[in-house]
Amino acid sequence: MTTNTKKRDNLTITYIGGGSRGWAWNLMSDLALEPALSGRVKLYDIETEAALANEKIGNMVSARPDTVGKWKYETSPSLETALEGADFVVISILPGSFEEMASDVHAPEEYGIYQSVGDTAGPGGLLRALRTIPMFETIARAICETCPAAWVINYTNPMALCVRTLYEVFPGIKAFGCCHEVFGTQKLLAMVAREELGAQDATRKDIEVNVLGINHFTWLDRASYRGTDLFPAYAAFADRHFSEGYEGAEGGSWLNSWFASAERVKFDLFRRFGLIAAAGDRHLAEFMPPWYLKDPATVASWKFSLTPVSWRIENARKLREKSARLASGAEPFILASSGEEGVGQIKALLGLGSILTNVNLPNHGQIEGLPAKAVVETNAVFSGDSVRPVLAGFLPSSIHGHVARHVANHETILAAALTHDARAAFPAFLNDPLMTATPAEAEKLYAKMIAATSRHFADWKV
Amino acid sequence: MTTNTKKRDNLTITYIGGGSRGWAWNLMSDLALEPALSGRVKLYDIETEAALANEKIGNMVSARPDTVGKWKYETSPSLETALEGADFVVISILPGSFEEMASDVHAPEEYGIYQSVGDTAGPGGLLRALRTIPMFETIARAICETCPAAWVINYTNPMALCVRTLYEVFPGIKAFGCCHEVFGTQKLLAMVAREELGAQDATRKDIEVNVLGINHFTWLDRASYRGTDLFPAYAAFADRHFSEGYEGAEGGSWLNSWFASAERVKFDLFRRFGLIAAAGDRHLAEFMPPWYLKDPATVASWKFSLTPVSWRIENARKLREKSARLASGAEPFILASSGEEGVGQIKALLGLGSILTNVNLPNHGQIEGLPAKAVVETNAVFSGDSVRPVLAGFLPSSIHGHVARHVANHETILAAALTHDARAAFPAFLNDPLMTATPAEAEKLYAKMIAATSRHFADWKV
Amino acid sequence: MTTNTKKRDNLTITYIGGGSRGWAWNLMSDLALEPALSGRVKLYDIETEAALANEKIGNMVSARPDTVGKWKYETSPSLETALEGADFVVISILPGSFEEMASDVHAPEEYGIYQSVGDTAGPGGLLRALRTIPMFETIARAICETCPAAWVINYTNPMALCVRTLYEVFPGIKAFGCCHEVFGTQKLLAMVAREELGAQDATRKDIEVNVLGINHFTWLDRASYRGTDLFPAYAAFADRHFSEGYEGAEGGSWLNSWFASAERVKFDLFRRFGLIAAAGDRHLAEFMPPWYLKDPATVASWKFSLTPVSWRIENARKLREKSARLASGAEPFILASSGEEGVGQIKALLGLGSILTNVNLPNHGQIEGLPAKAVVETNAVFSGDSVRPVLAGFLPSSIHGHVARHVANHETILAAALTHDARAAFPAFLNDPLMTATPAEAEKLYAKMIAATSRHFADWKV
Amino acid sequence: MTTNTKKRDNLTITYIGGGSRGWAWNLMSDLALEPALSGRVKLYDIETEAALANEKIGNMVSARPDTVGKWKYETSPSLETALEGADFVVISILPGSFEEMASDVHAPEEYGIYQSVGDTAGPGGLLRALRTIPMFETIARAICETCPAAWVINYTNPMALCVRTLYEVFPGIKAFGCCHEVFGTQKLLAMVAREELGAQDATRKDIEVNVLGINHFTWLDRASYRGTDLFPAYAAFADRHFSEGYEGAEGGSWLNSWFASAERVKFDLFRRFGLIAAAGDRHLAEFMPPWYLKDPATVASWKFSLTPVSWRIENARKLREKSARLASGAEPFILASSGEEGVGQIKALLGLGSILTNVNLPNHGQIEGLPAKAVVETNAVFSGDSVRPVLAGFLPSSIHGHVARHVANHETILAAALTHDARAAFPAFLNDPLMTATPAEAEKLYAKMIAATSRHFADWKV
């Protein structure tokens, strides 16, 4: 692949959700560490104060002598203003409040439906999608009018439906969706290479994989370490660690982290289906029938957690405080590579060297058997002003059935949200694999969840 | 369409499952009433006595003066002998015994899984498929070697997988699958035309429909009576009759028949999905999550029955006795049109007038969005030596998700059966919509059901 | 198929090109002979006098006691007025004048390029398409706004591009294109059945065919007479008549008719490719390299004619006179079935009995291997408010290459015409099989042909 | 992309056509310069002496102290022996003699048909294909039986049909076809970057392109230099150099080289079609109608040559002599990178770093609109034991028509060659764009060309 190294200046990156206290800080760090790029970052957030704090933090970082990538951060008063002149648009928003997310995640528990995340699939993912799609409709229209040639990187969940909406509303958009879940599985595979093949220095970058599926329900049908097929090694590894789980890859015990797991779901899926599921166990569990999420005891037996939204609320409070400290200089901003590939992708799109990585894009045949337009996750080649998926092949029928079900639900949800018709999404609500309630119970639950987030459905048919 | 009326003599029809006491008698009747055709019918059955009885009955019918279609019935000692010289092959077998079917249908009840038929979907349908596919493999090979140019009509369930197997084993086969379930829905629609439109003389032949789906889980997205769209009429009809059900179309109350229903499932599906489901409620219910089959009380509330296999065993006994009476002349064989379209299809294939009817065939694009090779049900034009599906369009995503799930299961089951690997079918067993048991319970149930029909799995990996 | 016979009154048929002195009179005749339908026919023509004459003629026909189908004919002052209330729209226009057609057909002769018709393919067909597409754009827009639910029947050439344009501009249109060329080949096949099989009473209605290709370049890969494969018979027939030609099917010698042929092109194509070409030789010859149209002597050796446009001009004059005589009552209008299927199609669309016939529609897979959207000709089932193509299969590669070349040209021409960019169509002009001139010569010819019809290209990029 | 650098020893490369005095020497050089790989190269050639000479040369190279890649060269007595143990198979054969090629290239001149190469398209390419396909049938069968898991790299022409045959005969083969023509266009584009953008250090490796088409008739719809779109620059360059041509990219004047050109064909195609044709002018000209090959004067005006086969015969004689000198040590073997990517591909397939390059593979959707199975050329990602095409999009209709015509011809030729039926290929012979002869003349020419190479058609239907 090409390895150009020329520098690019005067770039404009627009960050929608620019008050973010996670992804935004990652991006600041990665930009600060990248010598080849410079320009300005325009921050837009419905919470203006958060954007202003990040403006301050970003400019402080830029002013530091150890910062090689110099950027000017500025807060924009409106979406349209923010998009003016954009070369790149990053979308990383929280669609709705954490209080609303509490309804998404916990309301179904009344009917025995447990969700570990609740932002992609499950009843919670559906409700979140319904309120997110109109937001992405607005964003897509604004991009179409203001900066149609900009590259758009989405980090928001539900990933597939966010990207799907962008293309539905503005078919000419140059958008893709990024998610680091596959990277986590590559890390696990590097552990496998070390443990099974004795490759002590293996890192995730050494692990070549073929990726196919939908975001958070992604699969690998090939994985190799320097040309050596990792499937036999992974089989041995999964067998050995199945009962107790394996906690090495995520840097901590699942008992101490709402986000970690012991990979037992992943091992179980491998033993059942023969392919490597490539997302965190908390995400994977939500795409299947309630094998792993039947009740809290079952979840515990699989060694992962039901992340409570109360924790997210508390964590958000802490991050707000940290933001204040960073903005005031009371706490130093630590520069460190985030492990994300956003900046590498931007460089490749600017013609500064091609890269191959996994990404979410509308299906044009990169996955056989899934419908055109569905947003799928596969590897793609990033090069100058171009992202081209590789042909990833097809899923075995035993997995395809599960994936196709979610894809069909996505299409149902999208059509409902675009027409503001909540009734039209109910068949997808009922057809979610976690939905064990009867149709009558599901009706009640759905009404309750709509009501709990009713400000998003003011003009909807409910 | 063409309306040729020339006569065809010296035809050879091979009937596999020729001892049948249902479909075979229907065919005898229809052939006897058809003046344009004559020849011989070769009966083959693993139960030779049953075939011999039908030979006797058939020849008695042929000898009657009121019979206009004259056929010679003869029993063949082997499949190969039976197929020699065949112009048409009819396959209508019982795959396994009723005792085995009792396991299919009733074993899952221990885990709260109820099946109204158990021959197509559900755990029972899967087990039946596993033992049927190898039988159809044998039949396909024999046809390929003995009469590759013959037209093959399958009536056996599970329909889709039977036809799928024939084409998988002998891609050049000229086979299709016939089922009368859609006709029943057309009868119901004729009732709708009478009740809603005042069309007192409407019959099922007046109802034009567009058919799309898979056998027993078939849908209509258009239905018209003499050019008048029936959807508004059906909507009014379904609303009015939803609570109490409607029992006019099937000629009797569901309370008195293991096969009748009050169409409440059909009405519910219409109200949820907007399309007309076109099969008996007992079949439809098995393709959905356990909305209608949760437990016997739920089934009763939807006004259809869980057909007990004990009834089938008892009924088979009665039919055996009736067969003896018919063969001995003690009971007269009553000539009456069966309502099936087999003889009409045979005539069309012989060039004696085209017909349009619904039929099960491998997908070559007649349904968009379902995979190639999957056996789907749509309308097709039958004419001289040719069956061509019409383009039926695509299912809405809310229904597609349910259909695609079964299609994926079919592919998993087929691959497992062809390789004699029962383990490989377990993912489909787990992914059946009726499967509410945990994976561990499902493992136990599966093992039990395999064991109960173990003579079919002698050389399998289990 | 259904055989409903109910009557339909109060229909509105809009006839665009309603001053037509060919297709319009055919329609009058067929409507007058059809007892099941009645209503009004609204005539619209840019030549208002022609429409007024037809209004008079039509109403005289309707008033006759031997007329069973009663229609009121009325002339509309504008396209929009004409379309108001339309249940059916018939489009049969002459795109441009015969003087312009003289340029289409004869200008290329200067470069040794001869065209027998010049209205579909060849340089003449391309020029005609360029000026026709904007007319159909206007019509499609008007239908979309005024009568979007009407069924639209096109008889205008170039057929494929006319129908393609209607769907491109108004994707929801219910349009199809009808052409009787296949009927002519069915007549020839009826002759074959008589001569080779001794079927003395065979008529074209007895000939079942599978149709696939594009209009005027249509092929049959199956043809049967009452179930008997006609291919061996046709092979014998073609061999026997190849040298001298066969003139029985078209009712006269090619020497006395600008439209007849001796079928030698058809026989040659069969002997080369193995499929039956199903259009008149004059049309077929224009789709191939100049095997048959190299020069007038070659054309004569293949026993068909280069229809001179001077003849069309003269014939138009005669028809104008005939129109005057008919309108004044000086000449009686002769009622006779035209042999066209338009009225039968209308009846089927009204739910009065299904029919199967060949028709031009966008490809949704009815022909494998040709692109979606391309307008192709295959059989289709007409029933209540519905036209559904049958799956026709695919063309052998040896023919596919020729058809695909024209389809690609169509797409190039369409895009050029919709953007009013004559330069963009030049690659198609150069890639026409009849184009033997060098690119430089072709440039000159193209400029000349554009200039000769320049009133259609006022605002174009040339 | 991954950048692993581990070493691989004990590899076995089988070279079919191992007596080659061009590609084989290139490979020797590249292997000798590559430190990461070692093993043995098994040479097989129907001309054993040539293989033995290369064995000697290769081992002398390996023995040199400046050689970092150590390989043992050995001659195999039979194809099967040669394939035993192969990890990689290289196929680079001359199908038939140069005397036979003289017929391919020059026999058509009698009918005014001129060919600049005659090995891919045109009447000569067709004849060559007919005799080559059975050779590749043999090779594919042998690989299937002896080393089914080996990676197979083809360099033989006609490329598309050679690779197509390998997959047709052994669908599980891991084969691809390599050709350096696109590299040449990248070199030209590097010149463009220098001349138009002032990028003085631009090399072909800096030029990112999207490749789509078929071998030797390949197109670029995107080309960029470090992120800068090269299309405007190329347009300016092509306009400026169109009249006189540009001779900088190929290192010499077309007047002094049978292989060079002045890129005038390429510029003309760009100005007509808007895409960059990416092969040598001599190849490109053969895929179009005789715009560039009408006669020798036309060819000269386009500034490229009709490579005479007499030159090839003379050149082969010189290479034989050179081979003798190299084998005896009289002439030193010069180690220099060949510019080919074969060794880089081998390394990538061994997991030693991914690369992106253009390659010929069966179409699985990498080019929309071309049929499945057709062998097309696009970019692909090479990584551990895997080659995955990127989605390249589709050709504009104006170019697609030309490409699709050749693809259809390929399918016709393949079917004819596999059934040993020369008659069946004649439609493709007639449908070649260079075929300006009448069908009757073409028959004569075809018969003559078959006769001139008759030893290859001993058991064929001619």
Side-chain angles (χ1 to χ4, degrees), chain D residues 250-334:
Chain D
E250 299 183 12
S253 166
W254 70 276
L255 280 169
N256 304 324
S257 163
W258 295 117
F259 294 96
S261 82
E263 320 282 7
R264 290 198 72 219
V265 171
K266 214 174 269 97
F267 297 153
D268 191 56
L269 291 171
F270 179 74
R271 288 150 54 108
R272 291 194 179 286
F273 294 107
L275 260 57
I276 300 173
D281 282 14
R282 292 157 57 251
H283 284 301
L284 295 169
E286 291 187 337
F287 284 84
M288 301 299 296
W291 301 349
Y292 311 110
L293 285 165
K294 191 177 163 56
D295 49 41
T298 301
V299 173
S301 75
W302 288 103
K303 298 199 174 180
F304 67 98
S305 303
L306 300 169
T307 318
V309 178
S310 56
W311 178 85
R312 293 187 191 267
I313 291 171
E314 173 59 15
N315 184 53
R317 195 187 51 72
K318 288 186 193 159
L319 287 171
R320 251 193 319 276
E321 291 168 7
K322 179 178 175 133
S323 169
R325 289 195 305 275
L326 290 170
S328 68
E331 179 178 327
F333 189 97
I334 296 168

Side-chain angles (χ1 to χ4, degrees), chain A residues 193 197-202 206 208 224-230, chain D residues 2-11 34-38 71 343-344 346-354:
Chain A
L197 307 180
Q200 291 315 323
D201 56 348
D206 300 315
E208 295 181 335
S224 59
Y225 168 72
R226 300 193 176 181
T228 302
D229 181 7
L230 282 172
Chain D
T2 56
T3 50
N4 301 316
T5 49
K6 211 181 141 190
K7 210 173 156 347
R8 292 303 147 104
D9 301 322
N10 300 319
L11 297 170
E34 171 55 58
L37 309 177
S38 68
W71 293 82
V343 170
I346 287 173
K347 284 179 63 181
L349 294 170
L350 290 167
L352 304 177
S354 305

Side-chain angles (χ1 to χ4, degrees), chain D residues 89-380:
Chain D
V89 179
V90 172
I91 313 176
S92 137
I93 64 172
L94 178 69
S97 65
F98 281 131
E99 285 69 26
E100 289 168 331
M101 192 175 179
S103 163
D104 295 350
V105 175
H106 299 304
E109 294 175 357
E110 187 184 342
Y111 294 89
I113 299 166
Y114 293 90
Q115 299 170 91
S116 28
V117 188
D119 70 347
T120 316
L126 186 146
L127 264 286
R128 184 186 181 101
L130 287 184
R131 65 179 180 265
T132 307
I133 289 166
M135 299 174 192
F136 274 71
E137 223 183 327
T138 302
I139 293 171
R141 288 233 175 76
I143 290 169
C144 180
E145 278 159 32
T146 312
C147 55
W151 279 98
V152 180
I153 311 177
N154 178 58
Y155 290 104
T156 313
N157 286 330
M159 173 61 76
L161 274 167
C162 288
V163 178
R164 178 79 181 78
T165 302
L166 294 175
Y167 277 92
E168 181 73 15
V169 175
F170 172 26
I173 203 168
K174 289 152 58 176
F176 55 92
C178 291
C179 174
H180 53 196
E181 293 288 321
V182 170
F183 305 167
T185 305
Q186 285 174 309
K187 276 183 213 162
L188 175 61
L189 288 166
M191 298 285 180
V192 171
R194 290 187 218 171
E195 189 165 317
E196 303 291 327
L197 306 180
Q200 291 315 322
D201 56 347
T203 70
R204 93 156 180 87
K205 292 279 183 181
D206 300 316
I207 308 299
E208 295 181 336
V209 294
N210 186 52
V211 177
L212 65 183
I214 53 175
N215 184 246
H216 291 169
F217 196 41
T218 322
W219 298 80
L220 312 179
D221 66 357
R222 290 186 58 83
S224 59
Y225 168 72
R226 300 194 175 180
T228 302
D229 181 8
L230 282 173
F231 269 61
Y234 190 75
F237 190 93
D239 283 349
R240 194 162 58 253
H241 292 291
F242 178 63
S243 305
E244 296 303 314
Y246 177 82
E247 300 185 315
E250 299 183 12
S253 166
W254 70 276
L255 280 169
N256 304 324
S257 163
W258 295 117
F259 294 96
S261 82
E263 320 282 7
R264 290 198 72 219
V265 171
K266 214 174 269 97
F267 297 153
D268 191 56
L269 291 171
F270 179 74
R271 288 150 54 108
R272 291 194 179 286
F273 294 107
L275 260 57
I276 300 173
D281 282 14
R282 292 157 57 251
H283 284 301
L284 295 169
E286 291 187 337
F287 284 84
M288 301 299 296
W291 301 349
Y292 311 110
L293 285 165
K294 191 177 163 56
D295 49 41
T298 301
V299 173
S301 75
W302 288 103
K303 298 199 174 180
F304 67 98
S305 303
L306 300 169
T307 318
V309 178
S310 56
W311 178 85
R312 293 187 191 267
I313 291 171
E314 173 59 15
N315 184 53
R317 195 187 51 72
K318 288 186 193 159
L319 287 171
R320 251 193 319 276
E321 291 168 7
K322 179 178 175 133
S323 169
R325 289 195 305 275
L326 290 170
S328 68
E331 179 178 327
F333 189 97
I334 296 168
L335 285 187
S337 168
S338 72
E340 302 296 332
E341 302 208 335
V343 170
Q345 290 164 342
I346 287 173
K347 284 179 63 181
L349 294 170
L350 290 167
L352 304 177
S354 305
I355 60 170
L356 179 76
T357 189
N358 56 297
V359 73
N360 292 275
L361 281 170
N363 195 24
H364 281 284
Q366 60 265 51
I367 302 188
E368 264 181 64
L370 289 180
K373 292 191 174 181
V375 168
V376 298
E377 188 162 336
T378 66
N379 280 329

Side-chain angles (χ1 to χ4, degrees), chain C residues 78-358:
Chain C
S78 73
L79 179 58
E80 286 68 25
T81 320
L83 291 172
E84 269 164 29
D87 298 304
F88 296 89
V89 178
V90 173
I91 313 177
S92 136
I93 65 172
L94 178 69
S97 66
F98 280 131
E99 285 69 27
E100 289 168 331
M101 192 175 179
S103 163
D104 295 349
V105 175
H106 299 304
E109 294 176 357
E110 188 185 339
Y111 295 88
I113 299 165
Y114 293 89
Q115 299 172 90
S116 28
V117 188
D119 72 347
T120 316
L126 185 146
L127 264 286
R128 184 188 182 101
L130 287 184
R131 65 178 180 264
T132 307
I133 289 165
M135 300 174 191
F136 273 70
E137 222 183 327
T138 302
I139 293 171
R141 289 233 175 77
I143 290 169
C144 179
E145 279 159 32
T146 312
C147 54
W151 279 98
V152 179
I153 312 176
N154 178 58
Y155 290 104
T156 313
N157 285 330
M159 173 60 77
L161 274 168
C162 288
V163 177
R164 179 77 181 79
T165 303
L166 294 175
Y167 277 92
E168 181 72 14
V169 175
F170 173 24
I173 203 167
K174 289 154 57 178
F176 54 93
C178 291
C179 174
H180 52 197
E181 293 288 319
V182 170
F183 305 168
T185 306
Q186 285 174 309
K187 276 184 212 161
L188 174 61
L189 288 166
M191 298 284 180
V192 172
R194 290 186 219 172
E195 191 165 317
E196 303 291 327
L197 307 180
Q200 291 314 321
D201 56 348
T203 71
R204 94 155 178 87
K205 292 278 184 182
D206 301 315
I207 308 300
E208 294 181 335
V209 293
N210 186 53
V211 176
L212 66 182
I214 53 175
N215 183 245
H216 290 169
F217 196 42
T218 322
W219 298 81
L220 312 179
D221 66 357
R222 291 186 57 83
S224 59
Y225 168 72
R226 299 193 175 182
T228 302
D229 180 8
L230 282 172
F231 268 62
Y234 190 74
F237 190 92
D239 283 348
R240 192 160 61 252
H241 292 292
F242 178 64
S243 307
E244 296 303 315
Y246 177 82
E247 299 185 316
E250 300 184 11
S253 166
W254 70 278
L255 280 169
N256 305 323
S257 163
W258 294 116
F259 296 96
S261 81
E263 320 282 6
R264 292 198 70 220
V265 171
K266 213 174 270 94
F267 297 153
D268 191 56
L269 291 171
F270 179 75
R271 288 152 53 110
R272 290 194 180 285
F273 295 106
L275 260 58
I276 300 173
D281 283 13
R282 292 157 57 251
H283 284 301
L284 295 169
E286 292 187 336
F287 284 84
M288 301 298 297
W291 301 350
Y292 312 110
L293 285 165
K294 190 177 163 56
D295 49 40
T298 301
V299 174
S301 75
W302 288 103
K303 298 198 173 180
F304 67 99
S305 304
L306 298 169
T307 318
V309 178
S310 57
W311 178 87
R312 291 188 192 267
I313 292 171
E314 173 61 16
N315 185 53
R317 195 187 51 73
K318 287 187 194 158
L319 286 171
R320 252 194 319 275
E321 292 169 5
K322 179 176 174 134
S323 169
R325 291 196 303 274
L326 290 170
S328 69
E331 179 178 326
F333 188 98
I334 295 168
L335 286 187
S337 168
S338 71
E340 302 297 332
E341 301 208 335
V343 170
Q345 290 164 342
I346 288 173
K347 285 179 63 183
L349 293 171
L350 290 166
L352 303 176
S354 305
I355 61 170
L356 178 76
T357 189
N358 56 298

